[in-house]
Amino acid sequence: MTGLVVLTCASGKQCASLIPLLYDNKPDLRLRLIVHSQKSLERLQNQWPKAEVLRIDLAQPDDCTRVLKDASTLYYVGPPFQPPEAVYGANMVNAAVFESKRPGSQFSHFVLSSVLHPCISKLLNHDRKRLIEEHLIESGLPYTILQPSHFADNAIDRLVSQKEADHPVFTGMHDPNVAFSFTCVKDHAEVSAKVIREREKHFYATYQLASTLPMKYTEYIQSVGAVMGKTFEVRQLPHEEAVRIYCKLIFGQEKDHLDQARIDGPERLLMYYNGRGLAGNPAVLEWLLGRPGTTPAQLAKLKLERLSQSSA
Ligand SMILES: NC(=O)c1ccc[n+]([C@@H]2O[C@H](COP(=O)([O-])OP(=O)(O)OC[C@H]3O[C@@H](n4cnc5c(N)ncnc54)[C@H](OP(=O)(O)O)[C@@H]3O)[C@@H](O)[C@H]2O)c1
């Protein structure tokens, strides 16, 4: 495929795995990386000198229109736990419709990185994506919707960083006995690159992208521990404390300084995960990649290999 591919949240973990699969791949595929902060703008400009890097505010429809000028594909990832997430998504869909109608337009594909089961209304970060999916489906644009589950990568560094510990401990923010189908970011990136490259083959498809069948967090942790030759003690933080730490992690600010509207997303997510996880099936991902999804143990092995290479 040829043309200009625009990627949003380009500084986030999904695009960190996707960009290397597209960058330099073919001289006729160009990348425009969209970021929010000045810090990320500078980091990506240094890291990917052949890509164009732009800073925008997704709340501004004119910014969204501007970044899609001359684009052929948009890979849209929304920022996590932002109360106006549905408005941001709608702004990008409207901008893509505008671009697709411009005389001489090359625009041909809107790829939405959404979430597994956007219909779960108790989870605000899912419900907001349900609205974006609806807006996109009704837009008339050729689209593909990718639905990753809870990322296996979220906790992996906290585990493998304890490879030398005598008594490794995992402190969970929610009930570790609740089961999840995990998605490995690397698998998600490989599917994303394939969908972007193969374009028409994936028009109007919605893909559930789990790498594993449901497994309890305790099983996930012990499977990673087995790779490290360690047995983890598993603990759980009280809900209030978990919300405080999670908000700091996501928003970079203490909970006391945040509006309740921003706290609502993480607070509900952690409460939901104390009672229910996310169950999905890895068959679609396996079909798309022509191989089974990456297990948490395999992911841990890869991380450990990288750690030992970087310290060699
Ligand atoms: N974590 C999971 O398990 C999981 C699973 C499925 C789906 N998701 C979804 O994945 C998305 C996040 O993607 P990610 O994990 O690749 O990102 P990430 O690693 O969480 O990084 C956050 C990204 O959001 C951007 N951002 C933060 N505030 C913003 C704002 N106000 N306006 C525009 N951009 C903003 C940041 O850009 P700057 O660096 O420029 O600030 C950065 O690129 C969310 O929609 C989340 O719901 C997550």
Side-chain angles (χ1 to χ4, degrees), residues 38-56:
Q38 183 62 26
K39 201 173 153 199
S40 292
L41 177 94
E42 287 163 18
R43 179 169 69 78
L44 294 195
Q45 278 174 335
N46 284 329
Q47 193 178 0
W48 306 111
K50 282 191 261 171
E52 185 183 2
V53 189
L54 297 178
R55 195 177 161 207
I56 70 158

Side-chain angles (χ1 to χ4, degrees), residues 81 120-128 174 239 243 246-247 260-276:
F81 296 110
I120 299 176
S121 59
K122 294 179 187 69
L123 289 171
L124 290 174
N125 52 323
H126 288 233
D127 196 45
R128 290 166 184 156
H174 41 86
H239 180 66
V243 173
Y246 204 80
C247 283
Q260 183 59 37
R262 295 179 93 189
I263 300 168
D264 282 339
E267 198 168 59
R268 291 191 195 187
L269 174 118
L270 294 174
M271 192 171 282
Y272 189 89
Y273 285 0
N274 279 329
R276 300 181 179 92

Side-chain angles (χ1 to χ4, degrees), residues 9 11-14 35-37 40 77-80 129 149 151 154:
C9 280
S11 55
K13 59 181 161 302
Q14 294 187 44
V35 297
H36 180 63
S37 66
S40 292
V77 181
K129 290 183 180 62
S149 183
F151 286 128
N154 293 344

